[in-house]
Structure formats: structure tokens, C-alpha cells
Amino acid sequence: MANIKDVAERAGVSVATVSRVLNGHSPVAETRERVLAAVRELGYRPNNVARALRTARTGTLGLIIGDLTNPFFTELADAVEDEARSLGYSLVIGNAGERPDQQDDYIRTLLDRQIDGLLVSSAGTGSTMLGEVVASGTPLVLLDRIVPGVDAPCVRADGREALTDLAAHLAALGRRRPAIIVAPAGTPTGDERLRLFRTALAAHGIALPDACVGATPDLQHTGGRAVMRAFLDLPEPPDAVLATDNLMALGAMDELRARGLRIPEDMALVVYDEVPWFRHADPPLTVIAQPTRELGRAAVHTLLARIEGREAASVLLPALLVARSSCGEPAGGRVPVPRPADAV
């Protein structure tokens, strides 16, 4: 089925121009005729994005979340709803289930509900529908995950300092064969975390070879377990693993326990996510905690600024390393942190 991008390419114009034509705001007659001819030739049926252009407010915001079965996203959605409600807005939530096609279905549905603005924690690397939302004029803010090519502010956590601290933490504990479990290659968030971790380790003379970088086929515990299995089958397995998502960490833990291996005696484990029960695990897990509720609140305020026509820039909030016991830390989780120049 043809979409608005196909029409734009056939007519030789931008998606924004097609959107204007479909809503009666064609710049010139010749352009309008080209666009309408392309619509007829392709059998394109204007979707809900075009109908979402409006001036009236409904007091309703939309939120599309990556995966509501993931505790991080569950808390994030709860924070968004709390803040929206406190400001007099209702919230309609769609669960993308980490599927771009399902995400697109929810975008169409939410725009049909005449929402005032949309928050999206994008599945995968995004989709053409996000570009169409921007072109339609519907206020859009990205949440937690950047999407290359989409002109919208993004509210997310900045892991640079926390990953720098983690590298120093592992070096101080003598863990010099780290590995990382990341999202599929090409996912902006996963690629960024890998790059930052590798750079931080290098400052301590610690390498992160490709064999110790495991990309999951999904963001589920099954993927985390498969990657940990591959790590443990290496001729020289790692002595520390960073799982960049809490569900992947659960899979990694399952594989360790299935082999009779202990945390941290046989393997250190760090999770890039904080889940309330992590502190009650045996041993309590060292984590990189994202400011989840603060992200949700900031996202709502950023979206409202866009709805009201005010300046709305991207927001970065710092993540924090929380040391517990899963890397072999002494009581209290604190260890001397070496300077990079001294850690060789």
C-alpha cells in the first residue's frame, strides 16, 4: 500500500508539501495537480496524519512506549501519566512491543483520537510515520531513544559519566576482561552505549574486543541468555559483563545459574537499568540507574512547550552508577577509583 512518502517521491516534492496539499493549503496550482495526480496513480488514501491537523485542543496527549513488559518503560509510562494528569491532561498509551509496524498502527490510532501532542519511545530505529507526524505539524517529542532524521527534541538519559565511572570501578576491582550485551547493531541507543563504554575502558588500558561485544536479536531475556552463552563458550571468557537492558540481564543471569556459575565469584554483572528488586537480589546488583521519573516529567513539559508554540530543546539527564555487590565490591559497594593514567 502506498504511503505519503511514495506520493512525495512520485510528485517530486517533500512529504510536508504533500501534507499541505491534502489539507487544502497547496502553495501553487501546478504543485497541487502533480500531488493529486500521484495520489490517483498510486491509489493513496490519506491517512490519519493528514486528518490530525487542527487548531482545537482536546486536552489529550499520546504516548507510544517501546515495550510495556519492560520494567523501565512501565515506570516511564507511569511517570508520564502522573505528570500529564497533574497538569490537567489525559494520556492515551500505545505499546509498540518493539515492533515498528505496531508502533505505526498506534501513531495512526492516536492521531485519529485528536491528541494535542505525541511522545514516542521508538521501536527499533523508527519508521517513516515519525517523519509524517513531523510533516503534519503534530507536536512530537522523542523519549529515551533518538531517531536519526526525525526533527524533534528528545528527552533521554546521558550515560557518559556513569559509564566512565563504571570503567574506573571495574579497573579498581581488577576486572580486565569485560564484555557487553547490547541491542541489535544500528540501534542508536545501543551503539552509543557501546561506544562510550569502549572509550571509557580504553582510558584504563582495557580493551573491549569484538568477540566480547554481543548484540541481541531482540531486547528480551532470551537474547541476553544467548549472548551470555556465547561469552562463556569463548576460549577465555570475560570476567565482567555489562548488560545494557534489564531484561537482557535476566537472561544473562539465567545462563550463569544454569552452568552453576556464581555472581560475582565467577562473573561480575552490571545492569544498565535500575529495577526496584535489583537491590534485593543475591547478590544486590550493581547498576547504572537512569532518572526514569525525571525523564517522564521532563518529556511532558517539553511536549507542552511544543504544543504552546514555545522553544523546546532536547533534554539530557545524567545516569548514575550505583555500586552494590555484583562485581565483587567490598561491603558498602565502594572501592578506590584509580585515575586513568595510573590504571595500566
Side-chain angles (χ1 to χ4, degrees):
M1 180 181 294
N3 59 37
I4 196 170
K5 185 178 180 181
D6 297 326
V7 173
E9 290 177 351
R10 177 67 65 89
V13 298
S14 68
V15 170
T17 297
V18 175
S19 181
R20 288 195 294 271
V21 169
L22 294 176
N23 287 277
H25 302 293
S26 175
V28 294
E30 180 185 356
T31 300
R32 180 178 183 278
E33 288 307 315
R34 286 211 317 275
V35 170
L36 293 180
V39 168
R40 290 190 295 269
E41 291 167 10
L42 295 172
Y44 174 69
R45 295 179 61 189
N47 59 30
N48 294 333
V49 171
R51 292 201 301 273
L53 291 173
R54 62 201 180 280
T55 56
R57 299 243 186 116
T58 63
T60 303
L61 306 179
L63 169 65
I64 297 176
I65 213 73
D67 180 6
L68 276 175
T69 67
N70 185 319
F72 168 75
F73 287 118
T74 304
E75 184 178 5
L76 189 62
D78 184 64
V80 169
E81 183 175 34
D82 279 352
E83 192 67 12
R85 189 175 297 278
S86 74
L87 296 170
Y89 282 82
S90 298
L91 185 72
V92 181
I93 302 175
N95 176 26
E98 298 296 0
R99 291 175 48 192
D101 60 330
Q102 188 165 307
Q103 172 179 288
D104 287 354
D105 287 342
Y106 273 116
I107 289 176
R108 295 185 183 97
T109 299
L110 290 174
L111 292 176
D112 196 43
R113 293 284 298 268
Q114 300 289 290
I115 55 172
D116 292 338
L118 181 62
L119 292 168
V120 177
S121 181
S122 183
T125 56
S127 68
T128 57
M129 276 299 298
L130 290 172
E132 292 181 31
V133 173
V134 174
S136 77
T138 300
L140 171 69
V141 171
L142 302 174
L143 179 54
D144 180 58
R145 296 170 174 175
I146 60 175
V147 180
V150 174
D151 185 17
C154 183
V155 177
R156 63 191 183 98
D158 181 3
R160 184 181 306 271
E161 184 174 346
L163 287 167
T164 298
D165 290 344
L166 174 60
H169 187 67
L170 294 175
L173 291 166
R175 306 278 181 172
R176 304 194 66 82
R177 299 193 315 278
I180 184 171
I181 304 174
V182 293
T187 306
T189 301
D191 289 351
E192 179 183 65
R193 290 176 183 175
L194 170 58
R195 175 177 53 81
L196 292 175
F197 189 45
R198 183 171 259 153
T199 299
L201 289 169
H204 295 271
I206 300 175
L208 185 62
D210 290 342
C212 290
V213 176
T216 63
D218 52 40
L219 298 174
Q220 301 299 316
H221 73 281
T222 51
R225 182 164 187 174
V227 172
M228 180 61 85
R229 184 181 305 122
F231 288 159
L232 294 175
D233 289 340
L234 290 172
E236 187 176 30
D239 60 6
V241 171
L242 166 63
T244 58
D245 176 88
N246 65 83
L247 294 181
M248 295 189 295
L250 293 181
M253 292 171 68
D254 283 345
E255 184 62 23
L256 288 170
R257 286 170 178 163
R259 297 199 185 201
L261 300 176
R262 299 167 299 165
I263 302 171
E265 289 85 357
D266 302 307
M267 177 76 74
L269 181 66
V270 182
V271 188
Y272 199 119
D273 263 346
E274 171 73 299
V275 175
W277 63 263
F278 279 175
R279 71 190 63 184
H280 304 296
D282 184 18
L285 297 179
T286 292
V287 302
I288 290 178
Q290 301 188 77
T292 311
R293 302 205 71 82
E294 291 82 355
L295 289 172
R297 288 193 288 268
V300 172
H301 286 274
T302 303
L303 182 59
L304 293 185
R306 298 212 78 190
I307 291 170
E308 295 165 4
R310 295 183 281 113
E311 183 106 14
S314 292
V315 177
L316 275 176
L317 299 177
L320 176 69
L321 176 65
V322 181
R324 295 191 177 116
S325 304
S326 61
C327 294
E329 295 92 339
R334 297 183 178 274
V335 296
V337 177
R339 295 181 179 180
D342 299 330
V344 179

